[in-house]
Amino acid sequence: MANCISLTTLRCDIFCRVIDNYGDAGVCWRLARQLALEHGWQVRLWIDDPAPLALLAPDHASGPVTACRWPTDFPAVTADATADVVVEAFACHLPPAYIAAMAQRTRVPVWLNLDYLSAEDWVGDCHGLASPHPQLPLAKYFFFPGFDAQSGGLLRERDYDPRRQAFDADAFRAEFALPPQTANTLTVSLFSYPGAPTARLFRALAAARQPTLLLRPGSGERAFTEGNLSVRPLPFLPQIRYDELLWTCDLNFVRGEDSFVRAQWAGKPFVWQIYPQAENVHRMKLDAFLDRYAKVGAGDTASNTAMQALHDFWHAWNGEGVIDWNHFGAALPELTPLAQGWSEHLSQRPDLATNLVQFCLERLK
Ligand code: TRH
């Protein structure tokens, strides 16, 4: 890790505490890269556990973001060692010594709490609200990702479309020794939490008429074939290449937050396993997204039958009901244009990094 305390002129410090899995680091790294590459900010990512970065961005040490180990006992720093923009990711609580130094700055920093993504309507009412610090001359702004213009938007790199246009799916398949694409085989990617009903899904795919090639990145599981199902493990791909897997497939099972967003950009049918929360709070978040998604699909792109099949399959995938692959699989020809339309609908809006830069420049005195 770089020697970070000595750096003096800084534009943005992002603080990330890795709760579990990859998403905290995944979201923060993606944001940090965009702020550095697309907006020219000097960005440090303070992360308490750099292990996920080694998988997400094996070349992270080569820049453009300076990854710093967030020590348990963050030392006292001077005001000029703090940044103009400070992003507190997912309410990770900044080091008190750092907050004290922020308060000493001649130019008050813009302090953002980057929250978790939700499709719920209340996000638009909370996005951008300021919360004054009780003792210090500082205010923290709540910055909510989201699916509409009242939110902070979604992370999407400027080079996403050119990367996709340059992508060679055959070369990707050859690189991972996968069979060439055939019209009749369904290619599926699966990234899920341990509680997902994968055994039931595999049995249904094995018994289905259509052959399925199912790719499991980072699962460590073995390859096997059962009936019409062929399961192949893949290595955990660097974050920049995970998009390529999603583009290769006809259907993507994703989870959490960042892979969920990436599947939407890919414009292929997807199934989302939401991060489980206490008292089933996550079910409201799941339905809030399905409501938005159905509104876009309610037009000419998907019938009520297809939308019902999607709704029921998503609920079953999240532990509510039984997996019915026949209905969901039969709906895929209608769900594909729906996914494409949704991706195009979302990509009309400014991306989250652009919105965040605008938000901060308006508040930097
Ligand atoms: O790993 P996750 O379950 O992370 C979760 C969620 O972010 C959740 O919101 C948060 O509360 C919890 O962490 C603490 O799922 P997510 O968000 O999809 O993050 C996975 C990251 O890993 C994402 O950036 C995509 C990336 N990835 C790769 O880069 N290569 C891969 O091969 C795979 C499978 C994923």
Side-chain angles (χ1 to χ4, degrees):
M1 305 299 273
N3 169 5
C4 295
I5 298 295
S6 63
L7 296 182
T8 51
T9 53
L10 239 292
R11 298 290 301 165
C12 178
D13 279 349
I14 301 177
F15 285 83
C16 173
R17 198 175 292 286
V18 176
I19 310 285
D20 57 12
N21 303 308
Y22 305 101
D24 303 293
V27 166
C28 291
W29 180 257
R30 196 181 295 282
L31 172 61
R33 272 188 86 250
Q34 276 196 265
L35 293 176
L37 286 177
E38 299 174 10
H39 298 277
W41 287 14
Q42 287 183 31
V43 183
R44 287 186 298 193
L45 172 61
W46 292 92
I47 186 164
D48 62 342
D49 173 7
L53 274 191
L55 279 172
L56 291 161
D59 61 346
H60 69 77
S62 59
V65 173
T66 307
C68 303
R69 187 66 178 260
W70 175 357
T72 318
D73 51 343
F74 198 97
V77 287
T78 56
D80 60 7
T82 60
D84 302 311
V85 173
V86 182
V87 178
E88 178 179 337
F90 311 122
C92 63
H93 300 303
L94 300 185
Y98 189 95
I99 297 174
M102 285 162 69
Q104 300 299 318
R105 283 171 59 93
T106 43
R107 183 159 79 165
V108 177
V110 177
W111 178 5
L112 304 178
N113 179 72
L114 175 66
D115 220 298
Y116 289 107
L117 172 62
S118 172
E120 294 160 294
D121 290 338
W122 57 261
V123 164
D125 302 330
C126 298
H127 174 64
L129 293 184
S131 164
H133 191 281
Q135 287 91 29
L136 299 171
L138 295 169
K140 184 182 339 186
Y141 294 94
F142 292 94
F143 198 91
F144 280 87
F147 297 92
D148 57 33
Q150 289 68 42
S151 73
L154 300 168
L155 286 169
R156 188 176 200 267
E157 296 79 5
R158 280 184 190 157
D159 69 352
Y160 184 87
D161 289 334
R163 278 196 303 122
R164 179 158 200 178
Q165 276 134 33
F167 175 62
D168 178 343
D170 294 337
F172 182 88
R173 285 175 173 266
E175 180 182 348
F176 293 100
L178 301 175
Q181 171 83 23
T182 58
N184 186 36
T185 298
L186 187 73
T187 306
V188 177
S189 75
L190 179 68
F191 178 47
S192 61
Y193 294 114
T198 47
R200 274 203 296 276
L201 174 68
F202 291 176
R203 278 197 300 276
L205 292 174
R209 271 193 310 279
Q210 182 179 20
T212 297
L213 171 64
L214 188 138
L215 308 175
R216 298 193 80 176
S219 75
E221 305 284 338
R222 60 177 176 76
F224 69 90
T225 298
E226 185 185 332
N228 254 345
L229 169 65
S230 170
V231 176
R232 301 285 291 277
L234 290 180
F236 189 96
L237 299 171
Q239 191 181 55
I240 196 81
R241 299 205 65 191
Y242 180 57
D243 288 330
E244 296 173 35
L245 174 62
L246 300 176
W247 299 334
T248 299
C249 293
D250 306 303
L251 169 66
N252 293 304
F253 286 79
V254 291
R255 74 186 203 191
E257 175 164 333
D258 194 55
S259 61
F260 167 52
V261 172
R262 303 317 285 186
Q264 293 174 67
W265 296 136
K268 302 289 184 71
F270 60 102
V271 179
W272 178 34
Q273 188 181 9
I274 192 165
Y275 184 77
Q277 289 179 282
E279 287 102 50
N280 281 336
V281 165
H282 56 285
R283 292 202 194 288
M284 286 188 291
K285 292 178 185 294
L286 185 77
D287 285 332
F289 178 78
L290 282 169
D291 290 347
R292 284 181 187 269
Y293 199 52
K295 283 194 190 84
V296 171
D300 54 355
T301 53
S303 63
N304 292 339
T305 310
M307 293 313 292
Q308 191 60 51
L310 179 138
H311 173 278
D312 296 348
F313 195 88
W314 277 41
H315 273 251
W317 190 247
N318 285 276
E320 204 181 349
V322 180
I323 292 282
D324 177 351
W325 174 256
N326 291 333
H327 278 112
F328 181 69
L332 286 178
E334 288 189 69
L335 297 177
T336 300
L338 170 69
Q340 287 163 346
W342 176 253
S343 181
E344 282 149 28
H345 162 72
L346 288 180
S347 64
Q348 304 306 311
R349 291 216 177 83
D351 67 284
L352 186 147
T354 301
N355 288 333
L356 185 145
V357 166
Q358 184 60 35
F359 184 91
C360 292
L361 294 182
E362 286 166 1
R363 287 159 180 80
L364 276 170
K365 296 175 179 63

